[in-house]
Amino acid sequence: MGDEGTGRTHGMHVVHDGSPQAPPLLLIHGSGASGGFWNPVVPALAARHHVIRVDLPGCGRSQPAASYDVRSQAGRVAELLDGLGVRAAAVAGHSSGGYVATAVAEARPDLVGSLALVSTGPSPEAFRRQPPVLRALTAPPFGRLLWAVRSDAAIRRWIAAMSVRPVQVPDDVVGELEGTTYRALTAVLRGNTAYISESSVPRRLAGLGIPLLVVFGGADPRWEPASAHTYAAVPGARVAVLPGVGHLPMAEAPDATAQLLLEFTARR
């Protein structure tokens, strides 16, 4: 894997892997996370793509923002792609990163050549009752206190609560989560709910004509796995459900997830 390096663009931390001459593939992380969550699939993807990973505003090593609603985040991502001179990129979003990716496609379809949504809940009705450790984290004021005193062990417990298979999280990725502010986390979660309450993701994508891949874990504890099939309403969408996988397919089943992404982008 050839690493072009890292940098900051429009206040966001960006990591490049693979050849800059290869087809671009943008990876967007989920709520409160960082681009490091994609690490397990990057070597395979970078063999064929110029892989671009971004820490969204207020997350990881990126600077805070004035607004964390989905469209604002999408606007920042669009500015990033414009600055890099990227057009018609393959874009993959994990969890709520899929909302940001969808909002980019809605506002700037010239930037998105294809779209992959990994563990991206389609609508509020698909949201499951969360594991207790995650419910406590987002329940003020206790959640704010938990976030303020979080330790490496606590962060690993939160990640484990989203997984079914064992996940090895490197220390540097845990460290990236320590950079996410509680204000950013809770504001992002509110923005996500508002975005999918306004209109479901399948409905948003149905008329855009952008090739779509949807990947879900068959044992996702955050979103009802069967809800993945609501994306069949998008013409030509491919839906793949990975048995025995939770909310983090790229970490729990990296080989299968990377293969799905590579097969999808190869058909463009």
Side-chain angles (χ1 to χ4, degrees):
M1 177 177 65
D3 184 355
E4 283 184 48
T6 64
R8 183 168 284 174
T9 303
H10 296 287
M12 294 185 293
H13 180 75
V14 183
V15 180
H16 299 264
D17 292 280
S19 169
Q21 282 73 48
L25 169 57
L26 174 67
L27 304 178
I28 306 175
H29 64 79
S31 301
S34 70
F37 270 67
W38 288 99
N39 283 355
V41 297
V42 167
L45 299 179
R48 300 189 196 175
H49 289 277
H50 171 202
V51 178
I52 306 164
R53 283 176 288 163
V54 59
D55 289 356
L56 292 172
C59 296
R61 286 179 271 182
S62 289
Q63 296 174 352
S67 173
Y68 294 102
D69 67 81
V70 171
R71 289 183 180 86
S72 293
Q73 293 185 80
R76 298 286 293 277
V77 171
E79 290 175 354
L80 168 69
L81 294 177
D82 280 336
L84 295 173
V86 170
R87 290 291 182 275
V91 180
H94 172 246
S95 192
S96 66
Y99 304 149
V100 177
T102 297
V104 174
E106 288 180 296
R108 292 289 305 279
D110 58 308
L111 298 178
V112 182
S114 66
L115 183 61
L117 304 179
V118 180
S119 304
T120 298
S123 64
E125 293 75 21
F127 201 54
R128 304 183 74 177
R129 181 172 175 80
Q130 301 302 287
V133 67
L134 297 179
R135 293 205 306 272
L137 182 61
T138 55
F142 187 54
R144 183 182 297 277
L145 177 61
L146 280 177
W147 196 256
V149 300
R150 65 192 182 278
S151 62
D152 285 7
I155 291 174
R156 293 181 190 279
R157 284 196 298 272
W158 296 331
I159 294 172
M162 295 187 289
S163 311
V164 174
R165 299 183 183 181
V167 172
Q168 300 298 320
V169 185
D171 291 343
D172 60 336
V173 175
V174 173
E176 289 173 359
L177 266 68
E178 292 175 350
T180 301
T181 67
Y182 192 71
R183 173 181 175 269
L185 174 64
T186 54
V188 164
L189 293 174
R190 289 194 300 270
N192 295 340
T193 299
Y195 184 72
I196 59 175
S197 297
E198 180 184 277
S199 183
S200 73
V201 183
R203 185 173 299 158
R204 292 176 181 278
L205 294 173
L208 295 184
I210 295 174
L212 175 65
L213 168 68
V214 174
V215 180
F216 253 73
D220 192 323
R222 289 183 60 77
W223 296 98
E224 174 54 53
S227 71
H229 297 289
T230 65
Y231 285 97
V234 181
R238 181 187 178 192
V239 178
V241 178
L242 300 176
V245 173
H247 190 63
L248 303 172
M250 64 281 208
E252 298 177 67
D255 292 344
T257 302
Q259 188 62 31
L260 285 167
L261 291 170
L262 288 171
E263 290 175 355
F264 176 63
T265 57
R267 288 201 296 264
R268 289 179 54 193

